[in-house]
Structure formats: C-alpha cells, structure tokens
Amino acid sequence: MLTLEQVQAKSASKLSGLHPVVRKATEALIEICYNRGVPIVITQGLRTNAEQDALYAQGRSADGRIVTNARGGYSFHNFGLAVDFALLLPDGRTVSWDQCRDGDGDGVTDWDEVVAIAKTLGFEWGGDWTGIKDYPHFQVVFGLTTAQLRAGRTPTETDQARAMAAIERLTEEERDVKVDKAKVIVNGEKLAEESVLIEGRTYVPLAAIGKAIGATVGWDNKTKTATLTTKEGK
Ligand SMILES: [Zn+2]
C-alpha cells in the first residue's frame, strides 16, 4: 500500500508557484483523499503564459484537439490559482482519468469523492462549467476574473484569511480520527475481546480471532510480523 509520504512526493514539484491558499487547499486535498482510500496526483499547477499559449495553439495552429479556450493570461493556472489532478493507481506510478473507477470499493466513484472533498475545501470544479468542461480542474478565484488578475488585482487579505481558516479547520477535523467500538461474531460466537471501528474498517485483536477459529497465533517482535496458522495451513 502506498504511504501518504509517497503520494505527497508525486505532486511536490507541481505545488511550487501556487498561491499560498491554493497550495494549502491542494495539500489538504491530497491528504484527505488519501485518508479516504483515494490517492491522487497533481498533474498541473502554475502554468506560464508561454505554456498556456502552446496549449491554446493545440487544435488551432498546431496538431491535436482543442483542449482550452484560454490564451496565455486567460487561465487561472497562469496566476497559480488552479490545479489539475488525476487518480494515482496502487502501483504508485500509473495515473488514471477513469471517472468510473471505484478503487476503494465504497460504491462511490473515486472521481466523485475527490470532487466532493475539493468543494468542501473551497475549490470550484471545471466539471461544473458550461461550455468546455474540464473534469480534472480545480480553482480558487476569490471572486476575481482573469481580466481583473491581468490588470494586477489580487485577492483581498480578508478573503485569503477566510479561505485559509476554512482549510485549516477542515484538515484538523479530518485528523481527529474517530474510534468506535465494534462487535465481532465468529461462527455465531461473539468475541469477548473488544474490537474497534476506525474510518469504516474493523480492527480485531488477532489473538481473539485465532482462538475463535482454532488457529495458532505467533509474533516475531524483531520483524514485527504476526502469523496466523490453521491446522490445514501446516
Ligand atoms: Zn486546469
């Protein structure tokens, strides 16, 4: 399984140059999505005007299909206010734009999960646009247009502080892991030992499971390895 650090490292280079609020929101998005079983990677952050012009040329003066209506200076990426994401598959290398994928098997597509979390963090989603939809795209624009940004307007201190506080509150709530008691029944017998429920997963003492199914439990402290061996397994 990928660690949070591995997942964060995949996006690190794309976070430089982002507006501090967008950077904070993106970092929170990566972490919360990871905690929900949906690792993501940021594929695009700040885009220079020259890069934007090259993208605009695609399908017009250059080969390929049209992917944007924005010339240099006309995309929120050009101001460090937007990011694009993709799903990161379990091998830690392959990315996916499959909007039907449900990698964590919770009955909600991974894409929808990411979009829902992003919106709680204050992002607008490109999938909500009329006209060319941009499903991997998130932005925080503070009520400004690219015309205003081109003219040198910047987000107000108040708007930035409010956005930052909302992101911090959400991140903290997320880190308060909720632990509930859980009842576990094996072959009709309730285990005497207490089990716990953390974030939708049940944790049962291995010794209790072993006893209940008549298996031998071993523990190697050096390698921190537990073994569960049934009679058939020997
Ligand atoms: Zn984008």
Side-chain angles (χ1 to χ4, degrees):
M1 198 180 130
L2 295 169
T3 65
L4 175 59
E5 289 69 28
Q6 287 172 319
V7 173
Q8 285 167 329
K10 297 292 288 185
S11 296
S13 68
K14 300 293 181 193
L15 302 190
S16 66
L18 289 177
H19 182 283
V21 167
V22 178
R23 186 188 175 110
K24 184 97 176 165
T26 305
E27 286 168 346
L29 181 68
I30 293 168
E31 182 176 338
I32 297 173
C33 288
Y34 174 84
N35 289 344
R36 304 283 171 82
V38 183
I40 60 165
V41 62
I42 300 304
T43 58
Q44 185 93 93
L46 175 70
R47 196 186 286 145
T48 64
N49 286 354
E51 288 167 333
Q52 186 70 39
D53 282 333
L55 206 63
Y56 182 79
Q58 198 179 307
R60 295 186 174 92
S61 56
D63 287 346
R65 62 180 184 88
I66 290 181
V67 289
T68 182
N69 280 334
R71 299 164 190 268
Y74 287 73
S75 162
F76 288 104
H77 281 289
N78 306 145
F79 301 93
L81 294 176
V83 293
D84 298 330
F85 83 99
L87 303 173
L88 181 63
L89 299 189
D91 67 7
R93 290 190 308 272
T94 318
V95 297
S96 167
W97 286 269
D98 178 2
Q99 291 182 41
C100 298
R101 182 181 160 80
D102 180 14
D104 58 345
D106 61 359
V108 185
T109 67
D110 295 348
W111 207 273
D112 284 350
E113 286 187 72
V114 176
V115 168
I117 295 164
K119 286 181 178 179
T120 64
L121 287 163
F123 280 112
E124 290 170 16
W125 178 44
D128 288 331
W129 293 347
T130 51
I132 296 186
K133 290 188 190 296
D134 191 353
Y135 295 99
H137 178 100
F138 294 124
Q139 60 185 33
V140 181
V141 307
F142 303 98
L144 296 173
T145 63
T146 54
Q148 290 172 319
L149 291 162
R150 282 195 304 280
R153 281 270 299 273
T154 51
T156 68
E157 293 294 328
T158 316
D159 283 352
Q160 294 186 61
R162 193 179 295 139
M164 202 62 115
I167 297 161
E168 272 162 14
R169 196 164 53 239
L170 224 103
T171 310
E172 268 164 39
E173 275 172 22
E174 187 66 23
R175 283 178 181 162
D176 291 336
V177 177
K178 291 156 207 79
V179 180
D180 283 315
K181 287 179 190 172
K183 211 186 297 175
V184 174
I185 295 168
V186 178
N187 294 331
E189 294 271 326
K190 183 176 164 291
L191 293 186
E193 289 86 347
E194 200 158 89
S195 299
V196 292
L197 185 69
I198 302 171
E199 309 273 310
R201 200 168 269 174
T202 311
Y203 293 82
V204 187
L206 196 61
I209 282 283
K211 205 165 90 187
I213 64 171
T216 313
V217 176
W219 174 250
D220 181 353
N221 202 40
K222 211 185 284 172
T223 59
K224 305 280 182 240
T225 304
T227 49
L228 188 65
T229 312
T230 58
K231 289 196 186 75
E232 300 80 47
K234 275 186 179 161

